[in-house]
Amino acid sequence: MDRRDFIRTGGILLVGASSAYGLRMLAVSSSRAPSPGSLPTTRKWGMVIDLNKCSSDCNVCMDACRKENNVAIHGDERWDIHWIRKVKIKSKNLNNSGEKSVPLLCNHCEHPPCAQVCPVQATYKRHDGIVIVDHHRCIGCRYCIIACPYNARYFNYKENDDWPNKDFPKRSHGVAEACTFCAHLLDEGKQPACVEACQRINAGAIMVGDLNDPESDVSQIIANNPIKRIREDLGTEPKVYYVGL
Amino acid sequence: MNVKKDAHSKTKAIAVTILIFVILVPVGYSLVTYVFARSSPKGVPFIEMPASQYEKCVRETEYMRYHHWELLQQIRDEVVRDGIRGDIKLSSCRECHPNREQFCNQCHNAVNLQPDCFGCHYYPASTQATSGEMHGNEAGLHPKNIITEPGRAMGGEQDDG
């Protein structure tokens, strides 16, 4: 075998071996199972707040949220965090007294601006529509706080010392946070803390349910009542619906 | 002529001495520390054996010893990002290993690791109420938290109560 033959045979062998290896890689990559995050789900969580049943001097939902989710309160409005808060709205257009107490929280938008601006994909929309912060990934840049048109996001300027619910993690200094619809409870088939608290005092003003299911309570109320969402003109498609706003 | 030669050999001798020191000092230091590390009982973590109602851990002991964080991170991503909540939780580790001081920290301290899991996830450092002895790193806090807010570090907080 002279030198030319040797190189030719060697080259053919090399190409053959590499292509065989490549074929095997292709077979492996095509047989990979889809990741659980890309699985389609039929559920889409949404909330209905009936302001006719919500009294202005009641803070049960706020307290329940604080206890369940270890939401920090430092006694200083610069640092206090509210996943759900109540604001008074005065308007001539309102039906009864001209004043309404409105619970405000993360609207879990269909097109969340907070998730769009997050540079590390720490904020994202779950497959069931809940907008959530991965606190492990959050770098504390606060873009989401600026982007949110509902002022629903808060920043942990301080370490939280209170830890009422030991089964649920608190957040460390330097991450952003907002309402999660109590995703940890919804995943277990329970109701969020604010909903349960509101039902416990027999008000039943807050309800959470599946928007994709036309038979669910939430879908029925949305279909049969005049509903409003906050700042619908922005096109964020919020999933918190208000009755009587 | 003689004086010059003497000076030259003197410089040479000093250089050789310095060189020997430069080589010997680190080698000797590591030898001494190695011997001390071999002889001290601190080189053997995992003092506490689990006492619980469960027969065995979720994975084999060898896997948990060297790869438990990979399992925890995988579960973390599944729970946080996909909402898949399985049986394995960090909080269920507590059922068999209630004492972080005697369990997690044994190994973390041996390899000088301060994972900041426990700043947000509840895992008591000791089963008794004598948690006043722990300091920042043992409490699982990141050192940066202790530096930026000295008044709120775990040690100072415990003194108040």
Side-chain angles (χ1 to χ4, degrees), chain A residues 36-37 121 124 126-127 134 136 159 161 163 166 169-170 172 184 187, chain B residues 76 80-85 94 118-122 145 149 152 157:
Chain A
Q121 280 85 52
Y124 60 99
R126 259 168 46 146
H127 47 78
D134 186 348
H136 306 96
E159 202 73 42
D161 293 334
W163 206 334
K166 296 278 200 288
K170 58 179 187 175
S172 73
H184 61 291
D187 287 344
Chain B
R76 176 194 78 185
V80 176
R81 299 203 78 91
D82 302 324
I84 303 163
R85 284 167 206 274
R94 295 206 312 258
F118 311 116
C120 297
H121 295 270
Y122 182 71
N145 292 343
E149 293 189 340
R152 302 171 68 84
E157 185 190 279

PDB file of all heavy atoms in Angstrom, chain A residues 36-37 121 124 126-127 134 136 159 161 163 166 169-170 172 184 187, chain B residues 76 80-85 94 118-122 145 149 152 157:
ATOM      1  N   PRO A  36     -41.414  18.561  30.737  1.00  0.00           N
ATOM      2  CA  PRO A  36     -42.736  18.726  31.342  1.00  0.00           C
ATOM      3  C   PRO A  36     -43.294  20.138  31.172  1.00  0.00           C
ATOM      4  O   PRO A  36     -44.505  20.324  31.093  1.00  0.00           O
ATOM      5  CB  PRO A  36     -42.482  18.423  32.823  1.00  0.00           C
ATOM      6  CG  PRO A  36     -41.194  17.695  32.866  1.00  0.00           C
ATOM      7  CD  PRO A  36     -40.407  18.149  31.690  1.00  0.00           C
ATOM      8  N   GLY A  37     -42.391  21.135  31.086  1.00  0.00           N
ATOM      9  CA  GLY A  37     -42.857  22.515  30.964  1.00  0.00           C
ATOM     10  C   GLY A  37     -43.580  22.780  29.662  1.00  0.00           C
ATOM     11  O   GLY A  37     -44.414  23.672  29.576  1.00  0.00           O
ATOM     12  N   GLN A 121     -35.232  35.661  32.845  1.00  0.00           N
ATOM     13  CA  GLN A 121     -36.389  34.755  32.815  1.00  0.00           C
ATOM     14  C   GLN A 121     -36.721  34.221  34.208  1.00  0.00           C
ATOM     15  O   GLN A 121     -37.135  33.074  34.352  1.00  0.00           O
ATOM     16  CB  GLN A 121     -36.169  33.587  31.851  1.00  0.00           C
ATOM     17  CG  GLN A 121     -36.407  33.945  30.418  1.00  0.00           C
ATOM     18  CD  GLN A 121     -35.170  34.560  29.804  1.00  0.00           C
ATOM     19  OE1 GLN A 121     -34.106  33.982  29.894  1.00  0.00           O
ATOM     20  NE2 GLN A 121     -35.286  35.728  29.208  1.00  0.00           N
ATOM     21  N   TYR A 124     -41.950  34.527  34.845  1.00  0.00           N
ATOM     22  CA  TYR A 124     -42.438  33.835  33.658  1.00  0.00           C
ATOM     23  C   TYR A 124     -43.875  33.437  33.910  1.00  0.00           C
ATOM     24  O   TYR A 124     -44.361  33.478  35.043  1.00  0.00           O
ATOM     25  CB  TYR A 124     -41.589  32.585  33.364  1.00  0.00           C
ATOM     26  CG  TYR A 124     -41.620  31.603  34.486  1.00  0.00           C
ATOM     27  CD1 TYR A 124     -42.461  30.493  34.432  1.00  0.00           C
ATOM     28  CD2 TYR A 124     -40.866  31.806  35.623  1.00  0.00           C
ATOM     29  CE1 TYR A 124     -42.540  29.623  35.489  1.00  0.00           C
ATOM     30  CE2 TYR A 124     -40.930  30.936  36.684  1.00  0.00           C
ATOM     31  CZ  TYR A 124     -41.770  29.853  36.611  1.00  0.00           C
ATOM     32  OH  TYR A 124     -41.858  29.000  37.659  1.00  0.00           O
ATOM     33  N   ARG A 126     -46.543  30.537  33.960  1.00  0.00           N
ATOM     34  CA  ARG A 126     -46.653  29.088  33.999  1.00  0.00           C
ATOM     35  C   ARG A 126     -47.646  28.605  32.962  1.00  0.00           C
ATOM     36  O   ARG A 126     -48.445  29.378  32.444  1.00  0.00           O
ATOM     37  CB  ARG A 126     -47.128  28.651  35.389  1.00  0.00           C
ATOM     38  CG  ARG A 126     -46.028  28.142  36.268  1.00  0.00           C
ATOM     39  CD  ARG A 126     -46.454  28.006  37.691  1.00  0.00           C
ATOM     40  NE  ARG A 126     -47.750  27.353  37.875  1.00  0.00           N
ATOM     41  CZ  ARG A 126     -48.046  26.568  38.902  1.00  0.00           C
ATOM     42  NH1 ARG A 126     -47.155  26.335  39.827  1.00  0.00           N
ATOM     43  NH2 ARG A 126     -49.245  26.047  39.034  1.00  0.00           N
ATOM     44  N   HIS A 127     -47.638  27.306  32.666  1.00  0.00           N
ATOM     45  CA  HIS A 127     -48.531  26.794  31.621  1.00  0.00           C
ATOM     46  C   HIS A 127     -49.990  26.908  32.016  1.00  0.00           C
ATOM     47  O   HIS A 127     -50.862  26.826  31.157  1.00  0.00           O
ATOM     48  CB  HIS A 127     -48.171  25.352  31.255  1.00  0.00           C
ATOM     49  CG  HIS A 127     -47.965  24.465  32.454  1.00  0.00           C
ATOM     50  ND1 HIS A 127     -48.999  23.948  33.157  1.00  0.00           N
ATOM     51  CD2 HIS A 127     -46.847  24.049  33.069  1.00  0.00           C
ATOM     52  CE1 HIS A 127     -48.537  23.223  34.168  1.00  0.00           C
ATOM     53  NE2 HIS A 127     -47.226  23.274  34.136  1.00  0.00           N
ATOM     54  N   ASP A 134     -39.332  33.084  39.932  1.00  0.00           N
ATOM     55  CA  ASP A 134     -38.391  32.083  40.428  1.00  0.00           C
ATOM     56  C   ASP A 134     -37.351  32.840  41.248  1.00  0.00           C
ATOM     57  O   ASP A 134     -36.434  33.447  40.702  1.00  0.00           O
ATOM     58  CB  ASP A 134     -37.739  31.365  39.242  1.00  0.00           C
ATOM     59  CG  ASP A 134     -36.862  30.222  39.694  1.00  0.00           C
ATOM     60  OD1 ASP A 134     -36.585  30.145  40.908  1.00  0.00           O
ATOM     61  OD2 ASP A 134     -36.455  29.412  38.845  1.00  0.00           O
ATOM     62  N   HIS A 136     -35.024  31.865  43.022  1.00  0.00           N
ATOM     63  CA  HIS A 136     -33.652  31.378  42.930  1.00  0.00           C
ATOM     64  C   HIS A 136     -32.919  32.078  41.803  1.00  0.00           C
ATOM     65  O   HIS A 136     -31.706  32.198  41.824  1.00  0.00           O
ATOM     66  CB  HIS A 136     -33.647  29.873  42.669  1.00  0.00           C
ATOM     67  CG  HIS A 136     -34.448  29.085  43.659  1.00  0.00           C
ATOM     68  ND1 HIS A 136     -35.736  28.704  43.424  1.00  0.00           N
ATOM     69  CD2 HIS A 136     -34.139  28.641  44.883  1.00  0.00           C
ATOM     70  CE1 HIS A 136     -36.186  28.037  44.470  1.00  0.00           C
ATOM     71  NE2 HIS A 136     -35.245  27.986  45.373  1.00  0.00           N
ATOM     72  N   GLU A 159     -34.281  41.873  54.872  1.00  0.00           N
ATOM     73  CA  GLU A 159     -34.541  40.478  55.238  1.00  0.00           C
ATOM     74  C   GLU A 159     -35.796  40.428  56.103  1.00  0.00           C
ATOM     75  O   GLU A 159     -36.000  41.273  56.968  1.00  0.00           O
ATOM     76  CB  GLU A 159     -33.345  39.932  56.005  1.00  0.00           C
ATOM     77  CG  GLU A 159     -33.222  38.431  55.999  1.00  0.00           C
ATOM     78  CD  GLU A 159     -32.758  37.864  54.665  1.00  0.00           C
ATOM     79  OE1 GLU A 159     -31.839  38.451  54.050  1.00  0.00           O
ATOM     80  OE2 GLU A 159     -33.327  36.863  54.233  1.00  0.00           O
ATOM     81  N   ASP A 161     -37.972  38.931  58.999  1.00  0.00           N
ATOM     82  CA  ASP A 161     -37.739  38.162  60.227  1.00  0.00           C
ATOM     83  C   ASP A 161     -38.922  37.270  60.566  1.00  0.00           C
ATOM     84  O   ASP A 161     -38.754  36.216  61.161  1.00  0.00           O
ATOM     85  CB  ASP A 161     -37.461  39.110  61.404  1.00  0.00           C
ATOM     86  CG  ASP A 161     -36.146  39.838  61.219  1.00  0.00           C
ATOM     87  OD1 ASP A 161     -35.270  39.293  60.518  1.00  0.00           O
ATOM     88  OD2 ASP A 161     -35.995  40.954  61.734  1.00  0.00           O
ATOM     89  N   TRP A 163     -41.811  34.595  60.222  1.00  0.00           N
ATOM     90  CA  TRP A 163     -41.932  33.361  59.451  1.00  0.00           C
ATOM     91  C   TRP A 163     -43.118  32.573  59.976  1.00  0.00           C
ATOM     92  O   TRP A 163     -42.955  31.503  60.576  1.00  0.00           O
ATOM     93  CB  TRP A 163     -40.638  32.544  59.576  1.00  0.00           C
ATOM     94  CG  TRP A 163     -40.369  31.630  58.429  1.00  0.00           C
ATOM     95  CD1 TRP A 163     -41.268  31.071  57.591  1.00  0.00           C
ATOM     96  CD2 TRP A 163     -39.084  31.163  58.000  1.00  0.00           C
ATOM     97  NE1 TRP A 163     -40.642  30.294  56.653  1.00  0.00           N
ATOM     98  CE2 TRP A 163     -39.303  30.332  56.886  1.00  0.00           C
ATOM     99  CE3 TRP A 163     -37.793  31.354  58.445  1.00  0.00           C
ATOM    100  CZ2 TRP A 163     -38.255  29.702  56.223  1.00  0.00           C
ATOM    101  CZ3 TRP A 163     -36.760  30.717  57.782  1.00  0.00           C
ATOM    102  CH2 TRP A 163     -36.987  29.910  56.682  1.00  0.00           C
ATOM    103  N   LYS A 166     -44.133  27.962  58.303  1.00  0.00           N
ATOM    104  CA  LYS A 166     -42.810  27.354  58.116  1.00  0.00           C
ATOM    105  C   LYS A 166     -42.767  26.409  56.911  1.00  0.00           C
ATOM    106  O   LYS A 166     -41.700  26.077  56.413  1.00  0.00           O
ATOM    107  CB  LYS A 166     -42.425  26.583  59.380  1.00  0.00           C
ATOM    108  CG  LYS A 166     -42.254  27.457  60.613  1.00  0.00           C
ATOM    109  CD  LYS A 166     -40.886  28.102  60.625  1.00  0.00           C
ATOM    110  CE  LYS A 166     -40.492  28.568  62.011  1.00  0.00           C
ATOM    111  NZ  LYS A 166     -41.258  29.748  62.451  1.00  0.00           N
ATOM    112  N   PRO A 169     -41.565  28.773  51.923  1.00  0.00           N
ATOM    113  CA  PRO A 169     -40.337  29.567  52.056  1.00  0.00           C
ATOM    114  C   PRO A 169     -40.630  31.058  52.082  1.00  0.00           C
ATOM    115  O   PRO A 169     -41.608  31.516  51.498  1.00  0.00           O
ATOM    116  CB  PRO A 169     -39.540  29.185  50.812  1.00  0.00           C
ATOM    117  CG  PRO A 169     -40.540  28.671  49.849  1.00  0.00           C
ATOM    118  CD  PRO A 169     -41.613  28.042  50.648  1.00  0.00           C
ATOM    119  N   LYS A 170     -39.764  31.786  52.777  1.00  0.00           N
ATOM    120  CA  LYS A 170     -39.841  33.242  52.665  1.00  0.00           C
ATOM    121  C   LYS A 170     -38.848  33.687  51.600  1.00  0.00           C
ATOM    122  O   LYS A 170     -38.204  32.855  50.968  1.00  0.00           O
ATOM    123  CB  LYS A 170     -39.556  33.887  54.015  1.00  0.00           C
ATOM    124  CG  LYS A 170     -38.219  33.555  54.630  1.00  0.00           C
ATOM    125  CD  LYS A 170     -38.068  34.272  55.956  1.00  0.00           C
ATOM    126  CE  LYS A 170     -36.674  34.105  56.508  1.00  0.00           C
ATOM    127  NZ  LYS A 170     -36.434  34.866  57.713  1.00  0.00           N
ATOM    128  N   SER A 172     -35.579  36.067  50.344  1.00  0.00           N
ATOM    129  CA  SER A 172     -34.393  36.695  50.918  1.00  0.00           C
ATOM    130  C   SER A 172     -34.308  38.142  50.445  1.00  0.00           C
ATOM    131  O   SER A 172     -35.014  38.571  49.538  1.00  0.00           O
ATOM    132  CB  SER A 172     -33.146  35.930  50.509  1.00  0.00           C
ATOM    133  OG  SER A 172     -32.864  36.162  49.165  1.00  0.00           O
ATOM    134  N   HIS A 184     -48.904  27.060  45.174  1.00  0.00           N
ATOM    135  CA  HIS A 184     -48.594  25.823  45.903  1.00  0.00           C
ATOM    136  C   HIS A 184     -49.852  25.168  46.433  1.00  0.00           C
ATOM    137  O   HIS A 184     -49.907  23.946  46.579  1.00  0.00           O
ATOM    138  CB  HIS A 184     -47.607  26.113  47.038  1.00  0.00           C
ATOM    139  CG  HIS A 184     -48.110  27.088  48.068  1.00  0.00           C
ATOM    140  ND1 HIS A 184     -48.305  28.424  47.800  1.00  0.00           N
ATOM    141  CD2 HIS A 184     -48.460  26.909  49.352  1.00  0.00           C
ATOM    142  CE1 HIS A 184     -48.747  29.019  48.886  1.00  0.00           C
ATOM    143  NE2 HIS A 184     -48.850  28.132  49.852  1.00  0.00           N
ATOM    144  N   ASP A 187     -51.942  23.802  43.195  1.00  0.00           N
ATOM    145  CA  ASP A 187     -51.374  22.563  42.684  1.00  0.00           C
ATOM    146  C   ASP A 187     -51.824  21.361  43.497  1.00  0.00           C
ATOM    147  O   ASP A 187     -51.885  20.239  42.985  1.00  0.00           O
ATOM    148  CB  ASP A 187     -49.840  22.639  42.705  1.00  0.00           C
ATOM    149  CG  ASP A 187     -49.312  23.566  41.624  1.00  0.00           C
ATOM    150  OD1 ASP A 187     -50.077  23.890  40.699  1.00  0.00           O
ATOM    151  OD2 ASP A 187     -48.141  23.962  41.707  1.00  0.00           O
TER     152      ASP A 187
ATOM    153  N   ARG B  76     -36.464  21.276  42.463  1.00  0.00           N
ATOM    154  CA  ARG B  76     -36.753  22.705  42.566  1.00  0.00           C
ATOM    155  C   ARG B  76     -37.261  23.241  41.231  1.00  0.00           C
ATOM    156  O   ARG B  76     -38.273  23.933  41.169  1.00  0.00           O
ATOM    157  CB  ARG B  76     -35.483  23.446  42.977  1.00  0.00           C
ATOM    158  CG  ARG B  76     -35.635  24.929  43.033  1.00  0.00           C
ATOM    159  CD  ARG B  76     -34.298  25.610  43.116  1.00  0.00           C
ATOM    160  NE  ARG B  76     -33.671  25.656  41.818  1.00  0.00           N
ATOM    161  CZ  ARG B  76     -32.439  26.122  41.602  1.00  0.00           C
ATOM    162  NH1 ARG B  76     -31.713  26.520  42.601  1.00  0.00           N
ATOM    163  NH2 ARG B  76     -31.945  26.162  40.389  1.00  0.00           N
ATOM    164  N   VAL B  80     -40.937  24.759  40.854  1.00  0.00           N
ATOM    165  CA  VAL B  80     -41.076  26.201  40.667  1.00  0.00           C
ATOM    166  C   VAL B  80     -41.523  26.519  39.257  1.00  0.00           C
ATOM    167  O   VAL B  80     -42.416  27.334  39.043  1.00  0.00           O
ATOM    168  CB  VAL B  80     -39.743  26.907  40.999  1.00  0.00           C
ATOM    169  CG1 VAL B  80     -39.847  28.381  40.722  1.00  0.00           C
ATOM    170  CG2 VAL B  80     -39.383  26.680  42.447  1.00  0.00           C
ATOM    171  N   ARG B  81     -40.927  25.883  38.273  1.00  0.00           N
ATOM    172  CA  ARG B  81     -41.168  26.322  36.908  1.00  0.00           C
ATOM    173  C   ARG B  81     -42.296  25.560  36.239  1.00  0.00           C
ATOM    174  O   ARG B  81     -42.979  26.103  35.372  1.00  0.00           O
ATOM    175  CB  ARG B  81     -39.880  26.230  36.090  1.00  0.00           C
ATOM    176  CG  ARG B  81     -38.785  27.122  36.667  1.00  0.00           C
ATOM    177  CD  ARG B  81     -37.734  27.493  35.674  1.00  0.00           C
ATOM    178  NE  ARG B  81     -38.143  28.537  34.765  1.00  0.00           N
ATOM    179  CZ  ARG B  81     -37.960  29.831  34.969  1.00  0.00           C
ATOM    180  NH1 ARG B  81     -37.403  30.261  36.065  1.00  0.00           N
ATOM    181  NH2 ARG B  81     -38.333  30.709  34.069  1.00  0.00           N
ATOM    182  N   ASP B  82     -42.509  24.290  36.604  1.00  0.00           N
ATOM    183  CA  ASP B  82     -43.535  23.510  35.924  1.00  0.00           C
ATOM    184  C   ASP B  82     -44.731  23.193  36.806  1.00  0.00           C
ATOM    185  O   ASP B  82     -45.728  22.676  36.315  1.00  0.00           O
ATOM    186  CB  ASP B  82     -42.931  22.195  35.406  1.00  0.00           C
ATOM    187  CG  ASP B  82     -41.761  22.448  34.468  1.00  0.00           C
ATOM    188  OD1 ASP B  82     -41.839  23.427  33.712  1.00  0.00           O
ATOM    189  OD2 ASP B  82     -40.797  21.679  34.497  1.00  0.00           O
ATOM    190  N   GLY B  83     -44.605  23.473  38.109  1.00  0.00           N
ATOM    191  CA  GLY B  83     -45.729  23.203  39.002  1.00  0.00           C
ATOM    192  C   GLY B  83     -45.969  21.729  39.249  1.00  0.00           C
ATOM    193  O   GLY B  83     -47.063  21.332  39.608  1.00  0.00           O
ATOM    194  N   ILE B  84     -44.942  20.895  39.046  1.00  0.00           N
ATOM    195  CA  ILE B  84     -45.077  19.463  39.304  1.00  0.00           C
ATOM    196  C   ILE B  84     -44.596  19.209  40.722  1.00  0.00           C
ATOM    197  O   ILE B  84     -43.410  19.296  41.005  1.00  0.00           O
ATOM    198  CB  ILE B  84     -44.261  18.632  38.299  1.00  0.00           C
ATOM    199  CG1 ILE B  84     -44.695  18.957  36.872  1.00  0.00           C
ATOM    200  CG2 ILE B  84     -44.395  17.154  38.582  1.00  0.00           C
ATOM    201  CD1 ILE B  84     -43.707  18.518  35.827  1.00  0.00           C
ATOM    202  N   ARG B  85     -45.532  18.944  41.606  1.00  0.00           N
ATOM    203  CA  ARG B  85     -45.160  18.744  43.011  1.00  0.00           C
ATOM    204  C   ARG B  85     -45.202  17.272  43.341  1.00  0.00           C
ATOM    205  O   ARG B  85     -46.257  16.668  43.459  1.00  0.00           O
ATOM    206  CB  ARG B  85     -46.121  19.529  43.912  1.00  0.00           C
ATOM    207  CG  ARG B  85     -45.788  21.001  43.893  1.00  0.00           C
ATOM    208  CD  ARG B  85     -46.846  21.867  44.498  1.00  0.00           C
ATOM    209  NE  ARG B  85     -46.783  23.197  43.921  1.00  0.00           N
ATOM    210  CZ  ARG B  85     -45.988  24.164  44.374  1.00  0.00           C
ATOM    211  NH1 ARG B  85     -45.213  23.962  45.387  1.00  0.00           N
ATOM    212  NH2 ARG B  85     -45.984  25.344  43.785  1.00  0.00           N
ATOM    213  N   ARG B  94     -36.532  16.810  56.642  1.00  0.00           N
ATOM    214  CA  ARG B  94     -36.551  17.084  58.084  1.00  0.00           C
ATOM    215  C   ARG B  94     -37.130  15.934  58.885  1.00  0.00           C
ATOM    216  O   ARG B  94     -36.801  15.760  60.054  1.00  0.00           O
ATOM    217  CB  ARG B  94     -37.397  18.332  58.373  1.00  0.00           C
ATOM    218  CG  ARG B  94     -36.864  19.600  57.809  1.00  0.00           C
ATOM    219  CD  ARG B  94     -37.330  20.796  58.618  1.00  0.00           C
ATOM    220  NE  ARG B  94     -38.742  20.811  58.919  1.00  0.00           N
ATOM    221  CZ  ARG B  94     -39.642  21.560  58.284  1.00  0.00           C
ATOM    222  NH1 ARG B  94     -39.272  22.329  57.302  1.00  0.00           N
ATOM    223  NH2 ARG B  94     -40.899  21.542  58.644  1.00  0.00           N
ATOM    224  N   PHE B 118     -31.174  27.644  53.324  1.00  0.00           N
ATOM    225  CA  PHE B 118     -31.882  27.695  54.591  1.00  0.00           C
ATOM    226  C   PHE B 118     -32.200  29.116  55.027  1.00  0.00           C
ATOM    227  O   PHE B 118     -32.828  29.304  56.066  1.00  0.00           O
ATOM    228  CB  PHE B 118     -31.070  26.953  55.647  1.00  0.00           C
ATOM    229  CG  PHE B 118     -30.620  25.596  55.181  1.00  0.00           C
ATOM    230  CD1 PHE B 118     -29.285  25.297  55.031  1.00  0.00           C
ATOM    231  CD2 PHE B 118     -31.551  24.636  54.846  1.00  0.00           C
ATOM    232  CE1 PHE B 118     -28.878  24.059  54.567  1.00  0.00           C
ATOM    233  CE2 PHE B 118     -31.156  23.399  54.381  1.00  0.00           C
ATOM    234  CZ  PHE B 118     -29.814  23.106  54.249  1.00  0.00           C
ATOM    235  N   GLY B 119     -31.762  30.112  54.255  1.00  0.00           N
ATOM    236  CA  GLY B 119     -32.200  31.470  54.547  1.00  0.00           C
ATOM    237  C   GLY B 119     -33.684  31.632  54.269  1.00  0.00           C
ATOM    238  O   GLY B 119     -34.360  32.436  54.910  1.00  0.00           O
ATOM    239  N   CYS B 120     -34.212  30.876  53.291  1.00  0.00           N
ATOM    240  CA  CYS B 120     -35.618  31.006  52.908  1.00  0.00           C
ATOM    241  C   CYS B 120     -36.417  29.744  53.197  1.00  0.00           C
ATOM    242  O   CYS B 120     -37.626  29.805  53.373  1.00  0.00           O
ATOM    243  CB  CYS B 120     -35.739  31.325  51.418  1.00  0.00           C
ATOM    244  SG  CYS B 120     -34.993  32.879  50.965  1.00  0.00           S
ATOM    245  N   HIS B 121     -35.782  28.580  53.165  1.00  0.00           N
ATOM    246  CA  HIS B 121     -36.485  27.321  53.429  1.00  0.00           C
ATOM    247  C   HIS B 121     -36.239  26.909  54.872  1.00  0.00           C
ATOM    248  O   HIS B 121     -35.090  26.822  55.301  1.00  0.00           O
ATOM    249  CB  HIS B 121     -36.024  26.226  52.475  1.00  0.00           C
ATOM    250  CG  HIS B 121     -36.378  26.497  51.043  1.00  0.00           C
ATOM    251  ND1 HIS B 121     -37.561  26.088  50.489  1.00  0.00           N
ATOM    252  CD2 HIS B 121     -35.716  27.163  50.078  1.00  0.00           C
ATOM    253  CE1 HIS B 121     -37.604  26.476  49.233  1.00  0.00           C
ATOM    254  NE2 HIS B 121     -36.502  27.132  48.952  1.00  0.00           N
ATOM    255  N   TYR B 122     -37.316  26.626  55.564  1.00  0.00           N
ATOM    256  CA  TYR B 122     -37.205  26.354  56.999  1.00  0.00           C
ATOM    257  C   TYR B 122     -36.532  25.009  57.237  1.00  0.00           C
ATOM    258  O   TYR B 122     -36.975  23.977  56.715  1.00  0.00           O
ATOM    259  CB  TYR B 122     -38.592  26.365  57.640  1.00  0.00           C
ATOM    260  CG  TYR B 122     -38.565  26.131  59.124  1.00  0.00           C
ATOM    261  CD1 TYR B 122     -38.064  27.110  59.974  1.00  0.00           C
ATOM    262  CD2 TYR B 122     -39.020  24.948  59.667  1.00  0.00           C
ATOM    263  CE1 TYR B 122     -38.025  26.897  61.336  1.00  0.00           C
ATOM    264  CE2 TYR B 122     -38.985  24.736  61.030  1.00  0.00           C
ATOM    265  CZ  TYR B 122     -38.486  25.710  61.865  1.00  0.00           C
ATOM    266  OH  TYR B 122     -38.445  25.505  63.208  1.00  0.00           O
ATOM    267  N   ASN B 145     -25.236  38.942  53.497  1.00  0.00           N
ATOM    268  CA  ASN B 145     -26.308  39.459  54.334  1.00  0.00           C
ATOM    269  C   ASN B 145     -25.790  39.907  55.689  1.00  0.00           C
ATOM    270  O   ASN B 145     -26.284  40.855  56.287  1.00  0.00           O
ATOM    271  CB  ASN B 145     -27.371  38.376  54.550  1.00  0.00           C
ATOM    272  CG  ASN B 145     -28.099  38.063  53.272  1.00  0.00           C
ATOM    273  OD1 ASN B 145     -28.034  38.862  52.341  1.00  0.00           O
ATOM    274  ND2 ASN B 145     -28.756  36.934  53.207  1.00  0.00           N
ATOM    275  N   GLU B 149     -25.907  43.978  56.792  1.00  0.00           N
ATOM    276  CA  GLU B 149     -26.805  44.333  57.870  1.00  0.00           C
ATOM    277  C   GLU B 149     -26.341  43.691  59.168  1.00  0.00           C
ATOM    278  O   GLU B 149     -26.897  42.685  59.606  1.00  0.00           O
ATOM    279  CB  GLU B 149     -28.230  43.871  57.536  1.00  0.00           C
ATOM    280  CG  GLU B 149     -28.799  44.636  56.371  1.00  0.00           C
ATOM    281  CD  GLU B 149     -30.277  44.343  56.192  1.00  0.00           C
ATOM    282  OE1 GLU B 149     -30.753  43.331  56.692  1.00  0.00           O
ATOM    283  OE2 GLU B 149     -30.922  45.169  55.564  1.00  0.00           O
ATOM    284  N   ARG B 152     -28.804  42.942  61.959  1.00  0.00           N
ATOM    285  CA  ARG B 152     -29.852  41.969  61.744  1.00  0.00           C
ATOM    286  C   ARG B 152     -29.299  40.570  61.540  1.00  0.00           C
ATOM    287  O   ARG B 152     -30.034  39.667  61.184  1.00  0.00           O
ATOM    288  CB  ARG B 152     -30.676  42.372  60.537  1.00  0.00           C
ATOM    289  CG  ARG B 152     -31.290  43.744  60.681  1.00  0.00           C
ATOM    290  CD  ARG B 152     -31.902  44.173  59.369  1.00  0.00           C
ATOM    291  NE  ARG B 152     -33.047  43.356  59.040  1.00  0.00           N
ATOM    292  CZ  ARG B 152     -34.263  43.574  59.504  1.00  0.00           C
ATOM    293  NH1 ARG B 152     -34.482  44.561  60.320  1.00  0.00           N
ATOM    294  NH2 ARG B 152     -35.262  42.810  59.153  1.00  0.00           N
ATOM    295  N   GLU B 157     -29.536  38.959  66.576  1.00  0.00           N
ATOM    296  CA  GLU B 157     -30.960  38.800  66.771  1.00  0.00           C
ATOM    297  C   GLU B 157     -31.239  37.876  67.954  1.00  0.00           C
ATOM    298  O   GLU B 157     -32.139  38.120  68.743  1.00  0.00           O
ATOM    299  CB  GLU B 157     -31.531  38.196  65.486  1.00  0.00           C
ATOM    300  CG  GLU B 157     -33.012  38.061  65.466  1.00  0.00           C
ATOM    301  CD  GLU B 157     -33.413  37.250  64.264  1.00  0.00           C
ATOM    302  OE1 GLU B 157     -33.473  37.833  63.190  1.00  0.00           O
ATOM    303  OE2 GLU B 157     -33.627  36.043  64.398  1.00  0.00           O
TER     304      GLU B 157
END
